[in-house]
Amino acid sequence: MDSGERILLDFTVTLGTRVESLQVIKIGENIDRAIRRALTKAGAWVERQAKKNLSGPSHTRFPGNGNPYPGVLTGRLRASVTSQVGEDGMSVRIGPNTVYAAIQEFGGTAGRGGSAVIPARPYMWPAFEVNHDRIVYTLREEIMRGVA
């Protein structure tokens, strides 16, 4: 067996007609490609939604604007959101790379001596939540297609 192949055991028992079967299906690169495809799609969906969440008016320029997400001031935070499937093809990393990304998501204090209190304005987690069911469905469908 190749190092890239996996084994899926399908054990079926049917009561009444006394059918018992053990089916061994060799799964090679197909399942890996299926998972990579699903994770690539999931990454793109969450990335797109996060960028959409980050497209409203700035709280700095327009305080009290009702926007629940961090708004656009320079666009750097929004532009830094990317998605990348891991080298193993079994994970996807989605998120920004700016130094202030976490404080916008989770809130906290900033500035000299913690003089500025920044409320949490999550934009990544809501982007995932909006796409959760779609991601689960796509993973399941792609894996089933890869097994077939």
Side-chain angles (χ1 to χ4, degrees):
M1 182 164 65
D2 281 344
S3 62
E5 290 183 331
R6 295 196 173 90
I7 299 294
L8 174 70
L9 298 175
D10 182 13
F11 185 70
T12 306
V13 176
T14 305
L15 301 174
T17 59
R18 209 164 176 230
V19 174
E20 296 179 25
S21 68
L22 178 64
Q23 184 181 14
V24 178
I25 304 168
K26 284 175 120 179
I27 304 170
E29 296 297 316
N30 287 350
I31 194 75
D32 290 343
R33 282 192 298 271
I35 292 170
R36 182 177 287 278
R37 271 193 313 270
L39 291 177
T40 299
K41 290 176 184 178
W45 294 331
V46 174
E47 177 185 339
R48 188 171 28 254
Q49 183 63 48
K51 287 180 175 181
K52 182 179 176 184
N53 292 350
L54 290 168
S55 295
S58 163
H59 290 275
T60 303
R61 290 194 181 143
F62 305 100
N65 63 25
N67 181 10
Y69 308 114
V72 177
L73 192 59
T74 65
R76 284 181 38 204
L77 178 59
R78 181 179 56 203
S80 76
V81 176
T82 60
S83 62
Q84 179 69 44
V85 175
E87 287 184 32
D88 63 354
M90 298 294 143
S91 63
V92 61
R93 184 182 186 287
I94 312 157
N97 63 11
T98 59
V99 295
Y100 51 89
I103 200 162
Q104 291 293 335
E105 180 81 13
F106 303 110
T109 57
R112 293 193 177 124
S115 59
V117 176
I118 299 173
R121 295 187 186 110
Y123 54 95
M124 289 303 304
W125 183 252
F128 170 74
E129 285 182 316
V130 164
N131 287 287
H132 177 268
D133 292 345
R134 184 180 187 190
I135 292 168
V136 170
Y137 176 81
T138 301
L139 274 167
R140 182 175 51 242
E141 291 300 307
E142 289 288 354
I143 290 169
M144 295 306 294
R145 194 175 313 153
V147 171

